[in-house]
Amino acid sequence: MKVEGRILTRAVERLHRTRLIVPAAIAAVALTVPTAAAGMPRAPGHGGAAAVDHATAAKDPKVMLDSWIRLWNGDYGQAPGIISPAFQVHAALLDGGDGSSVRGLDGLVGMVRQIRAPFPDLRFSVEVGPLVDGHFASLRWTATGTYAGGFPGAGAEPGTVVTFTGNDTLRVKGGKFTEYWLNADTLSLVTQLRAS
């Protein structure tokens, strides 16, 4: 037990030194809805995908989550319709930060781009949700992607497929997402990447 604890402590210390701005859910994110039975329309792939009517989205958090999913799948054009200028992130980051430095539309899009960089084909599928309660919307996801390299300290070979899980909770105000709480199993991710 002591040896395992020391190994884990060393791995965490090395990750802190890398100063990544990769949230604990690395991507909580790029979500692909598997079926309409999940309570939301099917999310088409990014790139020329039809945009969600943002006037409708502002009235329905479930529709907003569809745009959220498209954003995380790399359709960055979804962000202006759903992300408030006052948007803020609450998450345990791999660099030890709390996400408070990630603000607004540009901050979020930058974070999504950075998260996707080592996993260009990253896709998330919704396991539970969306759940909506007043001004809050939440879902649980599973992410799968192929490691392309570039994750500091990773011993995994490019081409390694990784899978991890997490939860997203968002607050809606004025028809846009204003706060984001992210919780993911990053330990599973860094273990699969053999990060040291």
Side-chain angles (χ1 to χ4, degrees):
M1 283 300 216
K2 286 185 177 184
V3 171
E4 290 173 355
R6 283 193 302 255
I7 291 170
L8 181 58
T9 299
R10 283 189 209 131
V12 169
E13 288 171 355
R14 286 185 192 119
L15 288 173
H16 284 278
R17 284 192 300 263
T18 65
R19 300 303 298 165
L20 291 175
I21 302 179
V22 179
I26 232 175
V29 292
L31 306 167
T32 300
V33 179
T35 65
M40 295 174 17
R42 181 176 294 279
H46 60 82
V52 170
D53 175 6
H54 296 297
T56 302
K59 298 175 185 171
D60 185 350
K62 289 182 181 180
V63 176
M64 290 176 67
L65 283 172
D66 185 56
S67 292
W68 175 256
I69 290 164
R70 292 173 195 234
L71 167 63
W72 280 97
N73 275 326
D75 185 356
Y76 305 117
Q78 296 296 316
I82 60 169
I83 303 302
S84 165
F87 184 84
Q88 56 186 311
V89 174
H90 308 281
L93 303 180
L94 286 177
D95 69 355
D98 62 3
S100 61
S101 64
V102 180
R103 296 220 172 241
L105 184 147
D106 291 338
L108 176 65
V109 169
M111 183 177 88
V112 174
R113 286 182 192 275
Q114 186 173 7
I115 288 168
R116 293 181 58 79
F119 314 96
D121 65 349
L122 190 63
R123 291 284 180 243
F124 288 62
S125 57
V126 176
E127 287 184 2
V128 178
L131 306 171
V132 177
D133 184 13
H135 296 288
F136 294 91
S138 190
L139 49 80
R140 176 167 177 78
W141 46 262
T142 296
T144 302
T146 307
Y147 178 55
F151 193 97
E157 294 293 321
T160 300
V161 175
V162 297
T163 300
F164 57 101
T165 60
N167 300 293
D168 289 352
T169 300
L170 296 123
R171 183 167 68 97
V172 179
K173 184 176 181 183
K176 294 193 176 187
F177 292 128
T178 59
E179 288 185 89
Y180 172 37
W181 290 266
L182 173 60
N183 186 3
D185 189 354
T186 357
L187 179 57
S188 174
L189 176 64
V190 297
T191 300
Q192 292 172 71
L193 290 175
R194 298 191 337 243
S196 59

